[in-house]
Amino acid sequence: MKTIKLNNGVEMPVLGYGVFLVNSEECERCALDAIEVGYRLIDTAQAYYNEDGVGRAIEKCGVPRNELFITTKVWISNAGEEKAFRSIGESLRKLKTDYIDLLLIHQPFGDYYGTYRAMERAYRDGMVRAIGLSNFYDARFVDLVENVEVKPSVLQLETHVFSQQKRMRELINDYGMHLMAWGPLAQGSDRLFTDETLKAIGTKYGKTNAQVALKFLTSEGIVAIPKSIHKDRMASNFNIADFELTEEDKETIRRMDTGKLKVDFNDPDMARYLLEYDKKFNPNS
Ligand SMILES: NC(=O)c1ccc[n+]([C@@H]2O[C@H](COP(=O)([O-])OP(=O)(O)OC[C@H]3O[C@@H](n4cnc5c(N)ncnc54)[C@H](OP(=O)(O)O)[C@@H]3O)[C@@H](O)[C@H]2O)c1
């Protein structure tokens, strides 16, 4: 598996598997299937309420823990130093592991500076190997990065062929950070699977649109974490190591960038939705 080296020296697989919108029971089966297919990076989050499913898969899969790379994220309702620190302990317990490979702040809401201090503490205590951010943009991103002691290693953002995050990629480069693409298949958009430009490129290599889209991201040094509950799709999404895109192919795909995101976290209604999310979706609330 191809890896990238983070700004603190930790090696991270460039292709992983995401488990958003997969319930805990199914998540165990999905994560086991994904590991069997070959994935070693699994991306979960406190807010997915399936960390325990990932934990059972880690325990049962038979792959040594140090060959896996587990990412999780602290949710808004756990913001603030003490609460976030406790929640990290809870994530470790659910994930049935002594350490998290990469821990992110899921959303820049609430006392996220407190959350970051808790993550720095967990990092120094060896509970976490690398820390980072998700859904931080522009000034909010720069303000945090400039004001913390342990520089974040990764920024996770919606990124796919139609939205390639050129501006944020330039910005994170200044801090030696890496981009991790959520929604790398445009969250299952038909537009991606039927796109004629991707199809024409894929035909040359006997590859699908999804495979070309994922190869493009990883060849740009962007970590991609496609999600599928279907083992055959997991396998197909993983099967991108046996071809290379030419510079011309990549230039063609770069021109597909619209600069527009599917999900607008700046929308006030979306902000209210996120702030209420835990009350609606936490099975224990
Ligand atoms: N930080 C954040 O705020 C954030 C937000 C969203 C997601 N994420 C992370 O990023 C991961 C990936 O993003 P995502 O799950 O939103 O979207 P995605 O991976 O871009 O797309 C997933 C969708 O594509 C379908 N799909 C997958 N492979 C396919 C294939 N080869 N052919 C046809 N359809 C295919 C899946 O359906 P089936 O499952 O039915 O196959 C699912 O509906 C998440 O699972 C999560 O770990 C993070």
Side-chain angles (χ1 to χ4, degrees):
M1 163 64 63
K2 207 174 153 210
T3 60
I4 51 159
K5 193 178 267 199
L6 300 181
N7 57 8
N8 67 350
V10 165
E11 298 270 346
M12 177 175 185
V14 78
L15 181 63
Y17 174 70
V19 293
F20 182 41
L21 296 178
V22 184
N23 71 43
S24 169
E25 288 314 307
E26 190 165 32
C27 185
E28 177 183 335
R29 191 271 301 163
C30 285
L32 280 170
D33 281 352
I35 292 168
E36 202 181 311
V37 157
Y39 294 90
R40 292 296 176 261
L41 188 181
I42 297 182
D43 180 85
T44 181
Q46 293 172 351
Y48 301 169
Y49 302 108
N50 59 17
E51 286 175 309
D52 52 345
V54 174
R56 289 190 298 277
I58 292 173
E59 198 174 55
K60 289 182 187 171
C61 68
V63 172
R65 173 66 186 88
N66 65 4
E67 290 178 22
L68 299 173
F69 190 102
I70 306 299
T71 301
T72 193
K73 315 180 192 82
V74 179
W75 186 241
I76 301 167
S77 54
N78 289 323
E81 188 164 352
E82 289 314 314
K83 216 170 170 190
F85 194 76
R86 276 198 305 277
S87 81
I88 296 166
E90 188 62 10
S91 286
L92 285 170
R93 189 186 63 75
K94 289 182 179 160
L95 289 165
K96 299 181 191 295
T97 182
D98 297 337
Y99 63 90
I100 292 157
D101 294 279
L102 174 66
L103 180 65
L104 308 175
I105 298 185
H106 204 148
Q107 290 284 352
F109 287 91
D111 177 13
Y112 56 84
Y113 273 89
T115 303
Y116 200 85
R117 282 193 297 279
M119 287 166 43
E120 289 179 317
R121 211 160 109 197
Y123 178 74
R124 291 194 183 100
D125 288 354
M127 296 153 73
V128 173
R129 294 176 69 225
I131 56 180
L133 310 170
S134 179
N135 301 312
F136 281 65
Y137 280 90
D138 304 318
R140 207 173 239 191
F141 167 79
V142 171
D143 183 51
L144 186 128
V145 179
E146 292 286 350
N147 279 298
V148 294
E149 286 172 17
V150 180
K151 295 296 173 215
S153 296
V154 170
L155 176 64
Q156 189 179 113
L157 297 177
E158 178 188 340
T159 311
H160 41 78
V161 290
F162 305 122
S163 182
Q164 298 179 20
Q165 297 286 6
K166 280 188 187 140
R167 195 181 70 251
M168 288 306 295
R169 279 159 72 189
E170 279 168 21
L171 198 49
I172 68 172
N173 256 343
D174 296 344
Y175 299 99
M177 292 172 64
H178 279 88
L179 181 64
M180 187 173 185
W182 70 250
L185 298 174
Q187 298 203 291
S189 161
D190 266 352
R191 185 176 161 211
L192 187 148
F193 301 122
T194 57
D195 181 86
E196 292 300 330
T197 305
L198 295 179
K199 210 173 268 178
I201 294 172
T203 303
K204 295 195 290 177
Y205 308 107
K207 293 290 176 184
T208 65
N209 283 19
Q211 289 169 323
V212 172
L214 294 170
K215 185 73 188 189
F216 172 71
L217 295 176
T218 58
S219 65
E220 296 275 280
I222 300 170
V223 176
I225 45 169
K227 169 257 172 187
S228 176
I229 57 168
H230 300 98
K231 195 173 181 183
D232 56 338
R233 287 180 178 174
M234 292 177 200
S236 164
N237 294 342
F238 189 74
N239 182 18
I240 59 170
D242 60 351
F243 77 111
E244 294 299 333
L245 296 172
T246 63
E247 196 44 46
E248 195 188 341
D249 296 332
K250 285 193 264 188
E251 239 347 285
T252 304
I253 299 174
R254 284 184 197 119
R255 285 196 292 273
M256 291 171 65
D257 188 10
T258 65
K260 287 199 194 103
L261 296 168
K262 269 190 90 192
V263 184
D264 179 8
F265 289 129
N266 265 327
D267 175 357
D269 286 338
M270 174 57 89
R272 287 190 201 101
Y273 170 82
L274 292 175
L275 290 165
E276 292 293 309
Y277 180 94
D278 201 50
K279 281 191 204 137
K280 285 195 196 118
F281 297 107
N282 182 348
N284 304 315
S285 75

